[in-house]
């Protein structure tokens, strides 16, 4: 572990408590100069580290910076096989994981970024991914004998896990706009994009990359005009370790669904969290849009809708919009 990371791990364990430079140096068997250099680097990365004469250094309780150590603190024991890596600002976490998957990487790789320059959304859209205010996370999965149709399950598990994680660490109620958007108070606070590669030899998915983006805070200057009406954030105020807790809780839920494959539990939760049930919606299908009402979500997580002409349909993919008022 780099010196800076060892110093950070010590600070994380003692968040809000002052530790003298001498104590840190003794603890980690490094020089006082090395401590000072590590503190300088951590500050440059955005960590709020207070320094008080005769007391030492302390990682401020208001620090909210994504870090591997910070996430590990909140991960449940039993999922240590996840290999987490964090980038400051990259093009797309999904793109990085896809490249690793194509190189034969094992499942369980988790790539997070503090910002993305080319965040990818569904149907070729861009996912707005400003630096410092969100979580952009992708996981490499290699489920056994998974057909392309069954791959939808991993988007569903991710959506349910995101809602549970948000509700565990905030006061908010999170809902799902079928099929992959996370909403709070009628504003989109997150989206999921699951991509993959199908093996022609056996017709099963060779790998899946489940990517999720969450708007933890609103960007300083607000969301861009195109999404200002529809986008929202999970927290209004800066949290102590909000991003690390959220990322870890998301992974805790997601990996437990992934490994247990507990079908009924997540489909039921997905149904309960579905925003479209009972709402007036627009269904976009085969290049046209039709008004409908969301009736239900079935065991396969298909959205059952009733069109104005009285006909019903069960949708397993596609796009809807919801009229909230
Ligand atoms: C959507 O809202 O259409 C889906 C958005 C998915 C965004 C996430 S952010 C992490 C991962 N990397 C990407 O480039 N996209 C996904």
């Amino acid at each position: 572990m780099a010196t800076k990371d060892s110093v950070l791990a010590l600070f994380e364990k003692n968040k809000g408590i002052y530790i003298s430079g001498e104590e840190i140096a003794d603890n980690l068997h490094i020089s006082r100069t090395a401590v000072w250099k590590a503190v300088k680097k951590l500050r440059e990365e955005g960590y709020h580290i207070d320094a008080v004469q005769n007391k030492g250094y302390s990682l401020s309780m208001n620090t909210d910076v994504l870090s591997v150590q910070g996430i590990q603190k909140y991960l449940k024991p039993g999922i240590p096989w996840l290999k987490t890596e964090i980038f400051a600002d990259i093009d797309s976490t999904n793109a990085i994981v896809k490249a690793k998957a194509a190189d034969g990487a094992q499942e369980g790789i988790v790539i997070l970024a503090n910002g993305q320059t080319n965040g990818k959304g569904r149907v070729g859209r861009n996912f707005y991914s400003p630096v410092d205010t969100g979580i952009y996370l992708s996981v490499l999965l290699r489920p056994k004998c998974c057909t392309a149709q069954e791959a939808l399950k991993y988007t569903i598990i991710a959506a349910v896990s995101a809602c549970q994680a948000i509700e565990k660490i905030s006061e908010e109620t999170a809902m799902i706009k079928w099929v992959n958007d996370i909403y709070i108070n009628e504003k989109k606070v997150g989206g999921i994009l699951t991509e993959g590669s199908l093996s022609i030899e056996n017709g099963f998915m060779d790998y899946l990359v489940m990517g999720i983006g969450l708007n933890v805070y609103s960007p300083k200057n607000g969301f861009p005009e195109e999404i200002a009406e529809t986008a929202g954030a999970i927290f209004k105020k800066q949290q102590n370790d909000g991003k690390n807790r959220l990322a870890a809780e998301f992974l805790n839920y997601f990996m437990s669904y992934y490994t247990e494959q507990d079908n009924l539990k997540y489909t039921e939760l997905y149904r309960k969290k579905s925003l479209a049930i009972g709402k007036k919606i627009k269904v976009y299908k085969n290049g046209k849009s039709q008004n409908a009402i969301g009736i239900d979500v079935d065991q396969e997580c298909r959205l059952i809708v009733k069109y104005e002409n009285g006909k019903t349909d069960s949708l397993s993919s596609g796009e809807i919009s919801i009229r909230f008022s």
Side-chain angles (χ1 to χ4, degrees), residues 1-9 28 30-31 34-35 38 41-42:
M1 208 191 268
T3 305
K4 173 195 72 147
D5 296 325
S6 314
V7 173
L8 178 59
L28 302 176
I30 54 174
S31 66
V35 173
K41 269 194 202 149
L42 289 168

Side-chain angles (χ1 to χ4, degrees), residues 142-248:
R142 293 195 186 269
K144 300 235 158 30
C145 305
C146 171
T147 62
Q149 200 141 28
E150 284 163 356
L152 175 68
K153 182 158 88 184
Y154 301 99
T155 298
I156 307 284
I157 292 175
V160 169
S161 303
C163 290
Q164 289 182 290
I166 290 170
E167 290 181 1
K168 184 157 182 190
I169 75 154
S170 76
E171 315 263 279
E172 307 294 345
T173 300
M175 300 294 283
I176 301 163
K177 192 196 116 203
W178 185 88
V179 61
N180 68 321
D181 288 338
I182 310 300
Y183 271 65
I184 291 177
N185 296 329
E186 303 179 359
K187 300 277 183 203
K188 176 169 168 172
V189 300
I192 297 153
L193 174 68
T194 307
E195 301 182 275
S197 162
L198 192 69
S199 159
I200 305 171
E201 276 164 34
N202 58 20
F204 293 128
M205 298 307 298
D206 184 23
Y207 66 80
L208 289 173
V209 176
M210 189 291 301
I212 178 164
L214 294 168
N215 306 331
V216 182
Y217 304 107
S218 293
K220 248 194 208 137
N221 300 321
F223 288 98
E225 212 180 308
E226 318 84 78
I227 56 168
E229 281 285 295
T230 49
I234 297 166
F235 293 112
K236 289 182 187 74
K237 280 195 210 139
Q238 180 87 359
Q239 303 291 306
N240 171 23
D241 240 0
K243 286 189 263 177
N244 288 327
R245 277 190 294 152
L246 192 57

Side-chain angles (χ1 to χ4, degrees), residues 92-94 116 119-122 127 136-138 180-181 188 191-193 211-213:
S92 150
T93 55
N94 266 28
Q116 296 183 121
K120 294 196 287 175
R122 273 183 78 224
F127 185 76
Y136 316 105
L137 176 160
S138 300
N180 68 321
D181 288 338
K188 176 169 168 172
I192 297 153
L193 174 68
I212 178 164

Side-chain angles (χ1 to χ4, degrees), residues 10 20-33 35:
L10 196 65
S20 71
E22 196 179 346
E23 250 180 286
I24 301 172
D26 285 351
N27 207 300
L28 302 176
H29 309 291
I30 54 174
S31 66
R32 295 277 298 272
T33 315
V35 173

